[in-house]
Amino acid sequence: MALCDFVTVMRAGQVVQELPIAAATMESLAEAMVGRKVQMGRLDGDVHQAGEVLLSAQELELCDALQVLRLSNVSLELRAGEIVGIAGVSGNGQSELLDVLSGLLAPSKGELTICGQVFTPAYWLDPQTARKLGLAHVPEDRHARALVMDFCAWESAVLGYESLPSFSRGPWMRIDAMHQATVDMMERFDVRPRDTALLSSKFSGGNQQKLVLARELGQTPKVLLVGQPTRGVDIGAIEFIYSQLRAMRDAGCAVLLVSSELDEILALSDRVIVMNQGRIAGELDIADCTEAGLGLLMTGASQ
Amino acid sequence: MSVPLALPRWADLVLLPAVCLAVALAVAAGVVALVGQSPPEVMVALVHGAFGTLRGLSYTLYYATTFIFTGLAVAVAFHGGLFNIGGEGQAVMGGLGTGLAALYLSASLPAWAMLPIMLIAGMLFGMLWASVPAYLQAYRGSHVVITTIMFNFIASSILVYLLVNHLRPKGNMALESALFAPSAKLPGMQQALAWLGVEWPASPLNLSLVLALMACVAVYLFLWRSRAGYRLRAVGSSASAAQYAGINAKHQTLIAMAVSGALAGMVGMNEIAGVSGKLILEFVGGAGFTGIAVALMGRNHPVGILFASLLFGALFQGGAEVAFDVPGFSRDMVVMLQGLIVLFSGAMTYVIAPLVAGGLRLLPGVSGARRG
C-alpha cells in the first residue's frame, strides 16, 4: 500500500483483480485474495465474561546463561473466558514468559499457580505435567518446536499427547486411533492436503499452524498459551484462527496471546499487558487501548 | 536451500539404491580392467562364489548375520540422533560376556538354559559398554563419536589382556580361551535343518540367523510401533520439538545407546556360540565398522539393513572366492569395491538422486512422482 502504484491480485493461479493502488483498500484486497468478505479486525459487541483465576504468576524472574535478566518481577493473572494479549517489541521477554509458563524453562524466582496447583523454582512445572493440568501451548516457532519436521502428519499431530490412554495400549502406540484423530483434526481445521502420511515439512506454513492449533485446542484445555499464532500464515487462515481462539475464550478457556502484531493484539484481546525489557510496562483494558498509547509503553517512553 | 527431491517411494527405496550399486560396480569394473583383469570374469566369479552353491550361500548368510546385528545397532542410535561408531567395541564386549557366561556355566547347565544366558550376557555387556559413552554424552556433553571410537580401543585391549593373562589355559600358546562345554554351542544350520529332514552342507551358518531376523522385526516394532521408539525418533529428529513435547532427551540418549549396544552385543552369538566354541581374539573383525556402511546403505530401516547385510555378506564371501579363483586378484580389490559401494550409496546418493529423478521425468506415465 505504501510503495506500489498498481496492484495485481492472484488467487489459485489466476489473476482476479488489477487496479491502481489508489482504488484499493486493505479490506478490498483481502476480499479479493480470499474470495469472500474477511473479518480481520475486532468483532462488534465482542464482550466477554471473565471467570475464576486459572493461572496466576507471581514475581517471576529469569536470568539466562549469560546472567542477563530476561524476566523481572512479572506478575499476571489469567481468568477463565478472557484473552489476555502480551504486546511488546520482539525480544522483550515475551518468548521467555511463554517458556516459563509452559514449563519449558524454570525461572530463578517466582511462583506459579495453575488450576490450584502451586509451583516454585525448585519444583517447576514440566511440559507433561502442564498438559495433564489442562494447559496447552501453541509455541512461537512451529518449525523448531510445535512439529517434528521429519515426522508424518499423524505423528506430529499427537506430539506431546502420545501417551494419552486413547492413543496407547501398554507400551505400544494405537496407530489407527492416531490416524483417525489426525483425520478429524484435518477435517475440523481444514488442513490441506488431507494426507495423514505426508511429512510435516511438506505442508505450507498456514496448514502446519492449523494442524498445531487443532492438536492443542482439540484437548479442550483450560489454559491456552499462544505465541505468534498467525506468523507466516495466509489471510484466510488468519481469519479462521482468530475465530477459533475466540471460540476457545467463549467456551471458558483462559487464553494468553503473545504477538508482535499490534493489530492482532487489538483484534483479539480483552486485556492487554505490555512488556518492555523483561518487565511489565503496563496493563490496560482493551477499551483503554490505543495504538499510540501501546506504542509508548512498548518502547518504554512513558516511564 | 536444497532442491526437494520428488522421487516416488518405490524409486527412493528400490531404484535409487540399485542405481547407486550399479554405478559403484561400473567404477569397480573400470579399476579391475585397469589392473589387467577381465571385469565380467571377476563379476561372474564373485556372484557364483556368493550365491552359486549352497555352501557359498551359507557363508554369505553367515557373514550377513553379523552385519545385521551391527547394522541394526548403528540404525537405532542413528534414529536417536547419535552416531554410534562403537559397534566394534560393543560387539567385542558383548562377545566377552557371552564367552564368560559359557566358560563358567556351560559345564553345569543344559543348552536350553545356557544359550539364553549367553545371549542375555552378551546383550548386557554390549549395553553396559555403550552406556558409558551415552552417559558422558547426555550429562557431560562429551561427543559420542569420539568416546565410542576410544571405547573400541579400550574394549579390544581388555579382551587381549583377559585372554593373555587370565582366560588362556596354561601351556596354550594361542590367544584363546578353553573350549566351552557342548551345551554352549548354538546349533549350526546343517544340524537344525537336519532335524527338519532337510539336507544342508556344513558351514559356519547357524541359528543366529534366525535371531538376527527376529532382531530386525523387534527393531521395527520398537522404532515405529512403540511409544518408546516414537520418543526416541522425536529426539533424534528434533531435540527442541521433543523438549516441547516433554520428552527427556538425556533419557532417550541413554535408551538409544543401550539398545544399540545390546544389538551389537549379539554378534558373539553368531561368532562365538555359533562357530568358534571358545573365546578368540579377532571374532568381530571389523564388522562393527561394516555395520555403519550397512546402516547407511539400508537407509537405517530393518528391511534395508537386511538387504544391505546380504550384499556385504556376498561381497565378503564372493570376494574370498574370487581371490582364490582368479590369479592375481587380491582380496584388497574386494575391500575397494566395498569402499566404492559405501561412497556411492552413502555420500553420492544426493548426486545421483536428481539424475534418477530427471530420468524418471522423461518416462511417460510417471508424472505422479511429484508429491506434496
Side-chain angles (χ1 to χ4, degrees):
Chain A
M1 298 295 283
L3 286 176
C4 304
D5 300 318
F6 200 82
V7 60
T8 302
V9 179
M10 294 184 70
R11 185 170 76 236
Q14 285 187 328
V15 173
V16 292
Q17 203 177 55
E18 283 181 284
L19 71 171
I21 204 75
T25 63
M26 280 287 197
E27 289 72 28
S28 76
L29 284 181
E31 192 176 333
M33 281 154 70
V34 183
R36 60 186 158 75
K37 195 126 186 67
V38 187
Q39 172 61 49
M40 294 297 295
R42 198 161 182 82
L43 296 175
D44 295 330
D46 187 16
V47 288
H48 76 284
Q49 197 63 53
E52 55 175 329
V53 175
L54 291 179
L55 180 148
S56 157
Q58 298 302 323
E59 296 172 10
L60 297 178
E61 184 182 302
L62 178 75
C63 277
D64 68 9
L66 299 171
Q67 298 306 313
V68 177
L69 209 56
R70 293 297 184 165
L71 291 177
S72 171
N73 196 23
V74 172
S75 302
L76 57 89
E77 280 186 346
L78 283 184
R79 293 169 179 277
E82 69 171 350
I83 299 179
V84 175
I86 304 274
V89 178
S90 282
N92 277 279
Q94 305 96 309
S95 306
E96 287 79 5
L97 179 64
L98 272 184
D99 285 356
V100 164
L101 294 182
S102 62
L104 288 167
L105 272 181
S108 33
K109 279 183 205 156
E111 193 179 279
L112 176 68
T113 312
I114 294 180
C115 305
Q117 194 138 338
V118 184
F119 297 93
T120 54
Y123 174 69
W124 197 249
L125 179 75
D126 67 78
Q128 280 299 341
T129 311
R131 285 189 183 85
K132 285 197 190 95
L133 286 172
L135 183 139
H137 176 201
V138 178
E140 292 181 305
D141 188 341
R142 60 177 165 265
H143 290 123
R145 276 209 175 136
L147 299 166
V148 179
M149 284 295 150
D150 297 337
F151 271 13
C152 299
W154 68 269
E155 290 176 302
S156 275
V158 298
L159 187 69
Y161 300 98
E162 72 276 359
S163 294
L164 285 182
S166 55
F167 288 152
S168 54
R169 188 186 292 121
W172 307 107
M173 300 193 286
R174 285 185 56 192
I175 288 174
D176 48 342
M178 290 175 170
H179 267 290
Q180 189 52 50
T182 311
V183 168
D184 294 345
M185 285 183 207
M186 289 179 151
E187 198 60 49
R188 220 152 17 93
F189 279 72
D190 191 27
V191 179
R192 294 178 213 189
R194 299 240 201 305
D195 183 352
T196 56
L198 192 61
L199 285 185
S200 307
S201 57
K202 303 267 182 181
F203 288 87
S204 72
N207 284 302
Q208 289 172 345
Q209 188 69 6
K210 284 193 274 186
L211 190 62
V212 175
L213 282 158
R215 179 183 74 206
E216 298 302 323
L217 271 52
Q219 303 297 328
T220 54
K222 290 187 203 138
V223 180
L224 178 63
L225 309 177
V226 193
Q228 315 292 354
T230 59
R231 185 183 274 171
V233 171
D234 65 272
I235 205 160
I238 290 177
E239 186 194 25
F240 176 76
I241 289 171
Y242 283 5
S243 72
Q244 289 299 319
L245 292 177
R246 289 196 187 100
M248 288 304 289
R249 188 261 322 264
D250 294 340
C253 183
V255 182
L256 185 76
L257 169 73
V258 169
S259 177
S260 49
E261 300 285 333
L262 209 47
D263 290 340
E264 187 159 287
I265 298 275
L266 291 172
L268 287 172
S269 310
D270 302 307
R271 193 150 58 86
V272 180
I273 293 173
V274 183
M275 287 190 73
N276 177 248
Q277 296 185 7
R279 293 163 207 276
I280 291 183
E283 186 174 336
L284 297 167
D285 195 83
I286 189 69
D288 307 326
C289 285
T290 61
E291 283 205 26
L294 289 178
L296 284 176
L297 284 171
M298 281 162 68
T299 52
S302 60
Q303 283 169 353
Chain B
M1 283 293 285
S2 62
V3 184
L5 294 175
L7 280 178
R9 205 171 146 75
W10 65 270
D12 192 38
L13 291 180
V14 181
L15 188 62
L16 186 56
V19 171
C20 291
L21 180 60
V23 174
L25 288 176
V27 175
V31 179
V32 169
L34 268 179
V35 299
Q37 302 281 346
S38 148
E41 190 197 342
V42 169
M43 202 58 220
V44 167
L46 189 106
V47 173
H48 181 80
F51 299 108
T53 61
L54 276 183
R55 192 181 149 277
L57 179 66
S58 297
Y59 271 88
T60 297
L61 291 175
Y62 154 68
Y63 292 126
T65 304
T66 290
F67 298 149
I68 291 174
F69 289 133
T70 53
L72 288 176
V74 173
V76 168
F78 185 86
H79 281 288
L82 299 161
F83 201 13
N84 178 13
I85 315 251
E88 187 81 9
Q90 289 142 25
V92 165
M93 291 310 273
L96 180 64
T98 300
L100 288 178
L103 278 175
Y104 289 105
L105 299 172
S106 64
S108 53
L109 284 177
W112 61 263
M114 192 60 240
L115 291 171
I117 289 176
M118 288 165 73
L119 174 64
I120 290 166
M123 292 171 73
L124 212 61
F125 269 58
M127 192 185 277
L128 289 174
W129 198 246
S131 62
V132 182
Y135 172 83
L136 292 173
Q137 166 82 60
Y139 294 95
R140 289 287 176 270
S142 319
H143 203 286
V144 80
V145 168
I146 310 293
T147 46
T148 50
I149 289 178
M150 296 196 287
F151 265 58
N152 286 339
F153 291 102
I154 302 174
S156 92
S157 303
I158 289 178
L159 184 64
V160 171
Y161 167 78
L162 287 177
L163 280 175
V164 170
N165 295 296
H166 297 284
L167 299 175
R168 185 169 47 140
K170 278 204 163 50
N172 194 343
M173 282 295 121
L175 271 185
E176 54 190 35
S177 74
L179 270 177
F180 309 148
S183 69
K185 176 87 173 76
L186 193 63
M189 203 50 91
Q190 186 188 34
Q191 191 186 352
L193 287 175
W195 295 333
L196 302 173
V198 181
E199 216 172 301
W200 195 264
S203 73
L205 183 63
N206 57 73
L207 285 183
S208 298
L209 178 63
V210 180
L211 192 64
L213 295 177
M214 282 159 61
C216 282
V217 176
V219 164
Y220 173 80
L221 291 176
F222 168 69
L223 282 177
W224 285 284
R225 288 287 179 271
S226 80
R227 283 187 290 144
Y230 176 93
R231 290 195 281 265
L232 189 89
R233 287 183 299 120
V235 170
S237 298
S238 170
S240 52
Q243 188 211 4
Y244 159 76
I247 300 167
N248 186 328
K250 292 177 166 52
H251 292 175
Q252 297 308 314
T253 297
L254 293 180
I255 292 172
M257 286 302 284
V259 174
S260 181
L263 285 162
M266 290 166 138
V267 165
M269 285 309 278
N270 190 32
E271 306 288 347
I272 290 174
V275 181
S276 68
K278 60 194 169 194
L279 198 52
I280 53 178
L281 195 55
E282 288 287 334
F283 68 92
V284 184
F289 297 113
T290 310
I292 298 170
V294 165
L296 200 65
M297 182 151 195
R299 301 297 206 88
N300 293 300
H301 190 284
V303 176
I305 286 168
L306 207 59
F307 284 107
S309 299
L310 208 56
L311 174 71
F312 277 86
L315 283 174
F316 252 68
Q317 165 58 14
E321 294 282 316
V322 173
F324 195 70
D325 288 349
V326 182
F329 188 94
S330 85
R331 221 182 164 298
D332 295 330
M333 294 293 282
V334 178
V335 176
M336 178 208 69
L337 180 54
Q338 285 171 10
L340 284 170
I341 288 174
V342 173
L343 178 67
F344 281 98
S345 64
M348 301 286 278
T349 302
Y350 293 99
V351 179
I352 293 171
L355 302 177
V356 173
L360 277 180
R361 232 168 260 140
L362 296 177
L363 297 174
V366 214
S367 54
R370 273 174 296 145
R371 226 184 123 173

